[in-house]
Amino acid sequence: MKNTHNRFILGISGASGVKLASGFLRVLPREFEVHIILSRGVCECAKYELGLDIKGLESMLINARNEGVRGVDSRADFGESRALDSARDLDSAPKSSQKSKAKSSKSDSGVLDSARDLDSSDLDSSALDSASAKTPRIHIWHDDEIGAPVASGSFGAEMMAIIPTSMDALAKIACGISDTLLSRAASVMIKERRTLLLAPREMPLNAIVCEQMQRLASLGVIIAPPIIAYYSYPKNLAQMEHFIYGKWLDILRIPNDLYQRWGESSEMDSGKIDSSRLDSSARQNLAKTSTKPASKPTKNKKKNPKRLANEA
């Protein structure tokens, strides 16, 4: 019987923040077999935010997963832009050369897109088992492929995350509408009592959305918007994003060291703060508080007994 505990479904819906899905793919541990579901709306978001069509988006996601599998430093500031630049190069290349690039990408990446990427007739059983063990697979499904394996509870995926989660996708899942592969897969996770994480990317939230999130939370769905924190002293946007990735992995109980956790820093324990990690305004405030002279304690003057008698 095949082990299904390492199957992870990543849904990407049509909300702002497609890049967050790519970054999350990069930090997801290599032992997971990843199944990506692209919604209809994500194509428009990718075109507007990243300048990519559907083929370029797929290339970016495969490159991101490839870098994570190869052990490229996921906390490097340039990692995501490199995958994006590679995808744009493929997107802008002539169609005649796109096929050859895509083919070489699959052969070099160490990522299998399906059984057709590796002809089992060319390998014996031991070689095939070895290749499968060393090469985590990634599958990309489109929203209209309603009959895909991820649409069934028997598929056995233990976890699913939708990053980012559009208000349309959230509403459909909350109301039990399963007319797309994304909403169907999410509904399956709920009925099978498996882990489902939603990352709604919207502000402000109206009363209808809050009510839908409350309903989903009562069913055990994890509502985890991409919200940043400042106690880890992020220097740039990439470090802020890595804090979000780390929190998502924490919620899914996947070990990681993507951000500085509260109370773990010796600086915090000793009361000392490295000013180089703060922005200019924070450094100025720190300098003011550190140079401010301490106020002298007031001495309690003893009153004259005769004066006390007169006052009485």
Side-chain angles (χ1 to χ4, degrees), residues 222-280:
I222 301 168
I223 309 297
I227 297 175
I228 62 174
Y230 293 92
Y231 59 77
S232 58
Y233 300 107
K235 291 183 178 179
N236 48 46
L237 178 59
Q239 291 184 3
M240 289 183 176
E241 291 173 345
H242 291 138
F243 171 84
I244 296 170
Y245 304 148
K247 291 293 289 184
W248 283 335
L249 292 175
D250 286 347
I251 294 169
L252 297 171
R253 299 182 179 180
I254 300 175
N256 70 92
D257 60 350
L258 292 177
Y259 66 98
Q260 177 180 298
R261 300 171 187 277
W262 180 261
E264 287 188 352
S265 172
S266 58
E267 296 168 357
M268 296 173 66
D269 296 337
S270 63
K272 298 178 181 179
I273 301 176
D274 183 4
S275 61
S276 66
R277 300 168 64 180
L278 306 176
D279 59 22
S280 58

Side-chain angles (χ1 to χ4, degrees), residues 160-190:
M160 177 178 179
I162 302 181
I163 302 172
T165 306
S166 68
M167 298 301 98
D168 177 74
L170 187 142
K172 284 185 175 181
I173 297 168
C175 296
I177 300 174
S178 304
D179 60 343
T180 66
L181 181 59
L182 182 65
S183 59
R184 170 60 184 169
S187 179
V188 165
M189 299 302 288
I190 295 174

Side-chain angles (χ1 to χ4, degrees), residues 100-113:
S100 60
K101 285 187 178 181
K103 186 175 181 181
S104 62
S105 174
K106 287 181 179 179
S107 61
D108 296 339
S109 65
V111 177
L112 299 180
D113 193 10

